[in-house]
Amino acid sequence: MKALEIQNLSIAFGGLRAVRDLQITIPPQVIYGLIGPNGAGKTTIFNMLTGVYRPTAGSIHVFGQALIGKSPSCITRKLHVARTFQNIRLFRELSVLDNILVASDGNNNILALEWIFGSPRSRRYAALQVAQAKKLLELFHLETRIHMLAKNLPYGDQRRLEIARAMATGARLLLLDEPAAGLNPAETETLINLIRFLQKEHAMTILVIEHDMHLVMNVCERIIVLDYGVKIAEGTPHEIQKNPRVIEAYLGSEP
Amino acid sequence: MVEFVQHVINGLSLGSIYALIALGYTMVFGVLQLINFAHGDLYMLGAFIGFYTSQWLHLDDNPGISSLLIALGAAMTGCALAGYIIERCAYRPLRHAPRINVLITSVGVSLLLQFSGQLFFGSDAKFFPQLYRPSGMIHVGELTINPIQIIVFVISLGLMIILQTIIMKTRTGRAMRAVSFNHELAALMGIPTDRVISLTFMLGSALAGAAGVLVGLAYPKIEPLMGVMPGLKAFISAVLGGIGNITGAVVGAMLLGLAEEFLVGYWAPTYKDALAFGLLILILLFKPTGLLGTKATEKV
Amino acid sequence: MKKLIVALGAIWLIGYFIIPSVDSYIVSILLYAGINAILAMSLNLVNGCTGQFSMGHAGFMSIGGYIAALITLSLPIQTGLFPLAILTAGCVAAFAGLIVGLPSLRLRGDYLAIVTLGFGEIIRVVLLNINVIGGARGLPNIAHLSNFSWVFGCMVITLFSIERILRSPYGRAFLAVREDEVAAEAMGVDTTHAKLQAFVIGAFFAGCAGALFAHTLRYLNPQIFDFNRSFEIIIIVVLGGMGNIRGSIIAAFLLTFMREALRPLQDITRIDFRMIIYAIMLISLMLLSPEGILSSKWRKRGRS
């Protein structure tokens, strides 16, 4: 079964057709890159994949399940798709731990009254949640910052916390929107290792939008290139680097 | 049938007053995405400015259109000034604060206007001077029309047309539309957003001031808390028509005016004030963008 | 937490033995302060913690008040009946919260403000038109069942319940909605659902407070629950700090005492100075210290 199957996907805002007739198929447990000049429609695709926008035509299936029409929270919970944001959107006034817990809470069927009276079930659940969250944070080298407010974290840590938070939802398909934006070369290197680690050890399927070509070329097994809402190329990093249409889209054509 | 037409006329006259107030709500919402709770109280302020101007200039000694226009002009100028001061002192410092803080501030400004109104104007109702005294009712067949209703309707309509011209035809209007489309972008394009926002407030407040005088003319009892209900109803009109939409505000206001008039005339007068809120809940349930509104998606 | 329990226990003990010898006027002020604290904490859950803006809290309070009063008026008076009346009042108010919240909570916060304001007004108009409960004449002769222990007990229960909820997945979802609705939704929080939960829980406690209020004042009239009552609760929440539950209690006592202190002035001038002061407080708090009057140090301790 495919991790992600997009067929004939289109969306229009008023007269502007931001994405046209897009086909993407991603097998499980691989890392795909999504690149293209600014305004090519990359984030729009993420917004459709997470239920923020509703496509005008086409279909999306995640691990065989239809996605279109479901609410963003339902897509995260039931279809196990989670994302990060281009401009970091953490819960700024909450602690690092609480940021993770919000994402991992999910359906627990424990009543509000049980929490008020502190039923054994709720205590067990809380302990388990915190233990799991701590384990996840260790993975992202954030274990020492557990009680800090998210807004007080250094920038690089905020970027990593966003990925950790998306992981905590129990995601199987991870959508990363420019995870390396604003990171220095050393931090980018850590990020590259982290993304590979998530794919190998946590069986994640990852689709990443990125302008940092070093990251894209090093991490992605295959790359999809988008220009003006249309897929203009797909292939291995090696193939993409030599593709004349891609070069044209990025550099403009020779007169 | 005669009764029906009579209700339609009354409803449109009431609706045109709601429309004047609703326009201010919708314009301010357009540029600031803020429900300016104090807007209804500016309308009260307009009525009182009209009242004191007429008293001071003894306008009711020689009633007529010119006296009415003087009072109207005074109220509109005064309210525009008040709108400017409010925006400058209370809202501008909060331009980057969470939206809920601005909302709370506007509630505060509203309460301040109401109760300092009680302090300065006295808490008991005053009788608005008869600036225009019709010689008698106009009879069309079996229909009786109060000329005041026609005057109210015509003046409101005139003001709306002027507003529409300002917004669609002038540079300032274009700047307003740009700011309401996108703040930061407009600022980047060299539009002085702060000045445009101030101007929008002044225009909206002036219309509310005009509504105050017109209401004084049609329903002469005025008091400091009179702005609360019409203010809320005007806001609801704006939502009915699609908030941020100028035409929508007018359409919504007329509909609400008619609906209230019919409710009072045919069914249950005691529920008049609840009707608007009932309509609001219905529209939010079935067409939250309003009758003429378009869907806006938040940028992610 | 332990310290707090000890402190609250001590306050109750002192109160329990001292109250009988205190002037009944002062006792009644204390009771109203406690009731205001419950109202403010419950509103804070919606306005402060979930980032919505409800302006019709008095509406839920009035529903609770009338329901509880009708129960104790129609059944033979027994003290044992009172907790039942309070709970029923809370549940009916919570149900009303569900009805109001369903249509409006799908929308942005500002709409909620207007809808709740309108709802408070509709409730008032409806109450005015029901003759069985006295209409505009009001509902007199309500049994005097409320006392220091009841109000204090309910206040403490409200405090503990709300603080516990805030530390549960429910509360985390509320806070996430306040922080960033789009991100919360993307992280699997059903934001509409979360807002509705906060709203219903808030309405429940407001209903309970209404029940206490009815049996403290012993007379109800729709006019008591007008806009200004809702505004007063909002002021308390803002004064104590949005999202700061313990701050709401302190602010409730401060404001209730201030209101009583101003009463003589108001009687002489016949002008509602209280509202002018509230208005100035609201504006200046928002401009100068949006976190409320209590320091941020306290605020953090209240949350952890």
Side-chain angles (χ1 to χ4, degrees):
Chain A
M1 196 191 298
K2 301 294 182 217
L4 178 65
E5 204 156 14
I6 297 177
Q7 280 167 342
N8 307 323
L9 191 71
S10 301
I11 188 168
F13 301 105
L16 176 75
R17 293 175 66 188
V19 173
R20 269 177 292 170
D21 246 349
L22 187 73
Q23 323 278 346
I24 294 179
T25 308
I26 301 182
Q29 288 186 52
V30 293
I31 303 174
Y32 260 62
L34 186 58
I35 64 171
N38 285 323
K42 304 179 299 277
T43 300
T44 306
I45 293 176
F46 270 25
N47 283 338
M48 288 189 281
L49 285 175
T50 49
V52 179
Y53 295 159
R54 200 191 168 105
T56 17
S59 72
I60 304 174
H61 287 83
V62 178
F63 294 104
Q65 283 180 287
L67 177 145
I68 291 172
K70 293 195 165 69
S71 74
S73 60
C74 177
I75 289 168
T76 308
R77 286 281 166 248
K78 306 254 166 69
L79 270 55
H80 307 289
V81 179
R83 72 178 292 178
T84 64
F85 294 90
Q86 199 173 338
N87 34 0
I88 303 174
R89 298 187 83 145
L90 289 167
F91 306 124
R92 293 171 52 80
E93 297 281 341
L94 299 191
S95 71
V96 170
L97 180 65
D98 280 342
N99 266 277
I100 298 291
L101 289 179
V102 166
S104 66
D105 277 332
N107 293 335
N108 55 60
N109 294 324
I110 301 177
L111 301 172
L113 272 179
E114 290 187 64
W115 287 105
I116 293 172
F117 292 115
S119 75
R121 195 156 73 118
S122 70
R123 280 161 194 264
R124 269 200 308 277
Y125 176 84
L128 185 71
Q129 287 286 81
V130 171
Q132 280 177 349
K134 282 185 175 160
K135 239 165 67 196
L136 185 68
L137 286 171
E138 266 171 42
L139 217 67
F140 285 79
H141 312 297
L142 290 165
E143 68 274 13
T144 51
R145 316 230 189 234
I146 234 166
H147 293 297
M148 267 174 83
L149 293 189
K151 65 172 180 185
N152 296 334
L153 286 180
Y155 184 82
D157 287 1
Q158 291 196 12
R159 281 262 174 231
R160 282 208 307 283
L161 178 58
E162 249 211 333
I163 303 177
R165 188 179 65 170
M167 287 289 293
T169 60
R172 294 164 72 191
L173 173 62
L174 201 56
L175 310 175
L176 305 178
D177 199 345
E178 298 195 25
L183 297 188
N184 64 34
E187 288 172 323
T188 307
E189 220 51 54
T190 321
L191 182 69
I192 289 175
N193 292 329
L194 192 65
I195 294 175
R196 284 193 186 130
F197 178 83
L198 293 179
Q199 176 219 6
K200 291 214 177 69
E201 304 300 318
H202 288 257
M204 298 297 284
T205 312
I206 298 170
L207 178 60
V208 49
I209 294 178
E210 189 50 72
H211 284 301
D212 184 330
M213 284 306 141
H214 172 67
L215 184 142
V216 175
M217 296 301 162
N218 273 293
V219 150
C220 301
E221 283 151 63
R222 286 180 80 79
I223 296 168
I224 294 162
V225 190
L226 219 60
D227 194 23
Y228 292 111
V230 179
K231 185 163 95 174
I232 55 168
E234 180 178 342
T236 62
H238 190 67
E239 288 163 7
I240 293 298
Q241 273 169 327
K242 289 190 300 193
N243 187 318
R245 283 195 67 187
V246 176
I247 297 166
E248 190 188 311
Y250 269 92
L251 302 177
S253 54
E254 297 282 329
Chain B
M1 187 58 205
V2 174
E3 202 191 339
F4 178 81
V5 177
Q6 195 79 54
H7 284 312
V8 170
I9 292 170
N10 293 346
L12 287 180
S13 157
L14 182 64
S16 61
I17 290 173
Y18 288 156
L20 283 180
I21 313 175
L23 283 170
Y25 268 113
T26 232
M27 285 163 65
V28 167
F29 192 91
V31 292
L32 274 189
Q33 258 76 56
L34 161 76
I35 298 178
N36 179 17
F37 274 100
H39 192 69
D41 304 299
L42 282 169
Y43 143 90
M44 174 275 291
L45 193 65
F48 273 95
I49 293 176
F51 174 82
Y52 285 111
T53 313
S54 334
Q55 223 174 35
W56 182 50
L57 296 176
H58 303 288
L59 287 179
D60 53 340
D61 289 346
N62 44 353
I65 294 291
S66 58
S67 300
L68 179 59
L69 289 182
I70 292 172
L72 210 58
M76 289 176 75
T77 319
C79 282
L81 195 66
Y84 175 77
I85 294 171
I86 291 170
E87 197 278 323
R88 193 63 233 262
C89 302
Y91 300 150
R92 191 175 296 181
L94 293 173
R95 192 107 335 138
H96 300 288
R99 179 137 83 218
I100 197 162
N101 293 17
V102 193
L103 201 64
I104 292 172
T105 311
S106 81
V107 171
V109 174
S110 164
L111 290 178
L112 188 66
L113 285 175
Q114 285 166 25
F115 290 95
S116 49
Q118 282 197 346
L119 191 64
F120 294 117
F121 310 141
S123 54
D124 37 305
K126 292 198 165 36
F127 197 77
F128 198 83
Q130 284 183 285
L131 294 178
Y132 177 78
R133 273 181 223 135
S135 46
M137 296 293 177
I138 300 174
H139 294 278
V140 184
E142 289 176 62
L143 222 60
T144 330
I145 305 171
N146 187 340
I148 287 185
Q149 286 182 322
I150 296 180
I151 293 224
V152 167
F153 190 76
V154 167
I155 292 183
S156 324
L157 208 66
L159 288 171
M160 286 174 218
I161 291 169
I162 294 175
L163 179 76
Q164 187 73 13
T165 321
I166 292 178
I167 290 178
M168 299 315 286
K169 296 277 160 65
T170 64
R171 273 177 70 94
T172 321
R174 198 156 56 218
M176 280 178 191
R177 281 181 286 149
V179 171
S180 74
F181 183 71
N182 187 329
H183 250 245
E184 280 103 44
L185 220 59
L188 282 178
M189 294 298 139
I191 294 172
T193 39
D194 275 341
R195 204 179 333 149
V196 171
I197 289 170
S198 287
L199 261 169
T200 312
F201 258 87
M202 289 168 75
L203 260 179
S205 309
L207 290 180
V213 171
L214 293 179
V215 151
L217 203 64
Y219 314 90
K221 253 173 69 174
I222 61 171
E223 47 111 7
L225 300 187
M226 68 188 263
V228 180
M229 264 298 151
L232 286 171
K233 286 177 184 168
F235 172 76
I236 291 170
S237 310
V239 176
L240 279 182
I243 190 123
N245 183 323
I246 301 278
T247 328
V250 177
V251 171
M254 295 298 177
L255 282 180
L256 184 63
L258 286 172
E260 279 196 347
E261 181 62 31
F262 283 122
L263 183 80
V264 171
Y266 289 116
W267 191 44
T270 41
Y271 284 94
K272 183 185 169 204
D273 285 347
L275 171 78
F277 294 109
L279 277 179
L280 175 69
I281 291 173
L282 281 181
I283 194 94
L284 290 184
L285 263 177
F286 295 109
K287 199 169 185 309
T289 48
L291 297 173
L292 302 184
T294 43
K295 198 174 164 63
T297 355
E298 194 181 346
K299 223 170 135 72
V300 180
Chain C
M1 202 58 169
K2 285 226 173 69
K3 261 192 235 162
L4 184 71
I5 294 174
V6 172
L8 289 172
I11 293 175
W12 177 75
L13 263 182
I14 296 169
Y16 187 77
F17 286 109
I18 288 183
I19 289 290
S21 55
V22 176
D23 180 56
S24 67
Y25 171 65
I26 295 183
V27 174
S28 73
I29 297 175
L30 277 173
L31 295 191
Y32 291 128
I35 293 167
N36 279 339
I38 299 176
L39 287 165
M41 284 189 282
S42 59
L43 185 67
N44 206 339
L45 187 67
V46 180
N47 288 16
C49 302
T50 318
Q52 306 305 301
F53 199 61
S54 166
M55 295 178 68
H57 224 49
F60 299 118
M61 182 190 175
S62 70
I63 290 179
Y66 271 95
I67 292 289
L70 286 177
I71 291 175
T72 56
L73 277 174
S74 55
L75 296 170
I77 295 164
Q78 299 157 339
T79 318
L81 196 64
F82 193 40
L84 190 73
I86 295 177
L87 277 180
T88 317
C91 290
V92 175
F95 183 72
L98 189 69
I99 304 283
V100 182
L102 269 177
S104 45
L105 285 165
R106 290 184 303 151
L107 303 153
R108 279 226 329 263
D110 337 26
Y111 283 97
L112 183 71
I114 297 286
V115 173
T116 47
L117 195 66
F119 155 77
E121 203 47 27
I122 291 177
I123 291 281
R124 202 169 59 82
V125 173
V126 169
L127 288 176
L128 275 172
N129 283 294
I130 302 177
N131 263 321
V132 191
I133 54 167
R137 279 169 289 121
L139 189 63
N141 302 325
I142 301 169
H144 190 204
L145 293 175
S146 168
N147 61 28
F148 171 74
S149 293
W150 278 114
V151 172
F152 188 77
C154 287
M155 190 180 91
V156 171
I157 291 172
T158 310
L159 172 68
F160 275 93
S161 306
I162 290 181
E163 289 211 332
R164 284 236 158 156
I165 286 172
L166 281 178
R167 259 174 276 132
S168 78
Y170 290 87
R172 279 196 291 269
F174 299 166
L175 295 167
V177 168
R178 177 190 72 188
E179 291 300 312
D180 189 330
E181 235 181 289
V182 172
E185 188 77 33
M187 290 306 118
V189 175
D190 185 337
T191 49
T192 308
H193 206 66
K195 287 187 230 168
L196 199 59
Q197 283 167 342
F199 202 63
V200 168
I201 296 171
F204 173 83
F205 286 111
C208 296
L212 290 168
F213 180 82
H215 293 85
T216 307
L217 186 65
R218 304 183 59 199
Y219 167 75
L220 288 181
N221 180 323
Q223 250 21 74
I224 294 172
F225 306 100
D226 59 0
F227 290 143
N228 293 347
R229 170 78 49 181
S230 294
F231 285 141
E232 196 169 65
I233 309 169
I234 291 173
I235 287 272
I236 297 174
V237 171
V238 174
L239 191 66
M242 305 274 281
N244 181 349
I245 300 293
R246 294 182 193 185
S248 286
I249 299 185
I250 295 170
F253 277 82
L254 274 178
L255 207 81
T256 314
F257 287 125
M258 189 195 84
R259 188 180 64 190
E260 290 308 316
L262 285 175
R263 205 179 279 281
L265 185 69
Q266 199 174 323
D267 288 341
I268 298 167
T269 55
R270 304 174 130 267
I271 287 168
D272 215 344
F273 272 107
R274 182 183 56 148
M275 296 310 290
I276 298 184
I277 291 173
Y278 287 176
I280 294 172
M281 270 164 70
L282 265 188
I283 300 170
S284 43
L285 272 170
M286 280 302 118
L287 289 177
L288 305 173
S289 160
E291 303 219 328
I293 43 162
L294 301 164
S295 72
S296 56
K297 204 169 135 199
W298 174 281
R299 178 184 150 108
K300 261 170 216 146
R301 211 191 303 158
R303 275 232 210 117
S304 64

